[in-house]
Amino acid sequence: MNTIFISILIESLPFILLGVLISGIIQIFVSEEMIAKVIPKNPILSVLFAICAGVFFLACECGIVPITRRLIAKGVPLSAAIAFMLSAPILNPIVLFSTYIAFGNSWSMVIYRGGTALLVVIIIACILSFQFKTNQLKHEHIEHTNHHSHTVKDKITGMFKHSIEEFFSVGKYLIIGALLAAAIQTFLKTSLLLEIGQGNLSGNVVMMALSYVMSLCSQADAFVASSFRSTFSTSSIVAFLVFGAMFDIKNTIMLLGTFKTKFVLCLMAYIFISVLGLTLLFIS
């Protein structure tokens, strides 16, 4: 359990550090007016813009949370921010390339994973845009920064100060989530899940549950998933790759510390249903 716990932390910390640093840059150097100019006013275009931004952003499902929180606090629409949060850990080039390598230079698995993830993100963004009209942050106070009255040195100092505060704010949730993931992996028998997941529906559900429990970084999960090829169907493996990169234990704990509980539970349910439905319908 101790080994798994430390490995999860070591795997996640670089991305958390990158995430809080970018969050600090957004807080100090990016004004609400700048974001308003960049983000399209049209809800559909704003979601597509967010997905494109996520494709070029190298982050895991944990490191992206503080960035998403800061973007929402700066006025980015909830649906667009969540689209960015869900797409970045799975549609970026490193994750797709690692999937290509892990499955023996197979483009089919890359297309399955990327295509399913893209459809899930669009579905979730559409649902959220209709259901939630407020930003859903647990702490809705928004800090406004005067971008004209500080010197560059003051801004850089403020950026690092904010990044440190953000790190300790989200870091405790990462530790709790990693500890839970390590405990479940240690005490839950994987063989039991393998026995349950022999049917089409049950296989997808079990693999999604396994990805949630294992809490793997999206840059490395394809290599673990490829080891299940002889046991589970392609549909189940794609469900593992898509759901785990969007939701896992440590990520859930961090989201619960950032967003309202009802919103997190709804988001998780929507993602679960979307991934399960799409993989069963379109992937054999």
Side-chain angles (χ1 to χ4, degrees):
M1 177 177 168
N2 183 57
T3 302
I4 296 172
F5 171 67
I6 293 174
S7 67
I8 292 175
L9 285 184
I10 292 174
E11 187 178 51
S12 304
L13 276 176
F15 298 101
I16 293 292
L17 290 171
L18 177 63
V20 298
L21 182 61
I22 294 174
S23 174
I25 292 172
I26 293 172
Q27 168 63 15
I28 302 301
F29 292 99
V30 180
S31 67
E32 290 81 357
E33 293 78 14
M34 292 168 63
I35 289 180
K37 289 179 181 179
V38 174
I39 297 291
K41 301 296 183 184
N42 185 287
I44 297 175
L45 291 179
S46 68
V47 168
L48 294 177
F49 178 86
I51 292 173
C52 291
V55 169
F56 296 101
F57 198 89
L58 309 180
C60 73
E61 68 278 4
C62 292
I64 204 71
V65 173
I67 301 172
T68 304
R69 176 169 70 173
R70 182 51 50 195
L71 288 174
I72 293 175
K74 286 286 186 176
V76 174
L78 179 67
S79 57
I82 296 302
F84 172 77
M85 184 184 79
L86 296 179
S87 59
I90 192 170
L91 293 177
N92 74 69
I94 290 181
V95 170
L96 295 179
F97 181 69
S98 69
T99 304
Y100 173 76
I101 297 297
F103 286 89
N105 301 340
S106 170
W107 283 109
S108 61
M109 188 58 69
V110 175
I111 294 170
Y112 282 145
R113 184 179 195 182
T116 303
L118 180 60
L119 289 174
V120 169
V121 171
I122 293 173
I123 291 170
I124 299 304
C126 291
I127 294 173
L128 296 182
S129 65
F130 285 104
Q131 182 176 1
F132 297 99
K133 303 303 180 184
T134 58
N135 64 31
Q136 295 302 305
L137 291 176
K138 183 167 285 187
H139 306 289
E140 295 193 25
H141 173 69
I142 299 175
E143 297 177 51
H144 294 276
T145 304
N146 188 325
H147 292 265
H148 303 286
S149 62
H150 297 92
T151 65
V152 174
K153 181 181 178 181
D154 290 337
K155 287 184 176 182
I156 292 175
T157 301
M159 179 194 75
F160 282 111
K161 180 180 178 182
H162 174 80
S163 297
I164 291 170
E165 291 174 351
E166 191 88 359
F167 175 77
F168 284 105
S169 175
V170 301
K172 58 179 178 287
Y173 298 113
L174 172 66
I175 292 173
I176 294 170
L179 187 62
L180 285 173
I184 293 175
Q185 286 189 53
T186 303
F187 297 107
L188 179 66
K189 292 182 179 180
T190 307
S191 58
L192 178 62
L193 292 177
L194 296 177
E195 289 176 8
I196 298 173
Q198 296 307 308
N200 290 331
L201 175 61
S202 60
N204 286 35
V205 171
V206 164
M207 285 298 279
M208 291 167 71
L210 197 59
S211 68
Y212 184 82
V213 168
M214 294 181 75
S215 297
L216 298 169
C217 185
S218 57
Q219 278 85 351
D221 60 359
F223 296 95
V224 175
S226 64
S227 66
F228 291 107
R229 281 183 290 182
S230 61
T231 310
F232 288 93
S233 66
T234 301
S235 175
S236 300
I237 292 174
V238 173
F240 176 95
L241 291 171
V242 176
F243 186 74
M246 293 183 177
F247 246 96
D248 58 31
I249 292 177
K250 62 184 189 300
N251 167 264
T252 302
I253 300 298
M254 294 178 69
L255 288 172
L256 286 171
T258 302
F259 295 97
K260 295 176 181 178
T261 302
K262 177 185 176 182
F263 172 76
V264 176
L265 294 177
C266 287
L267 181 63
M268 185 177 184
Y270 296 152
I271 293 174
F272 182 89
I273 294 170
S274 299
V275 173
L276 182 61
L278 289 172
T279 52
L280 286 174
L281 285 173
F282 299 112
I283 302 174
S284 57

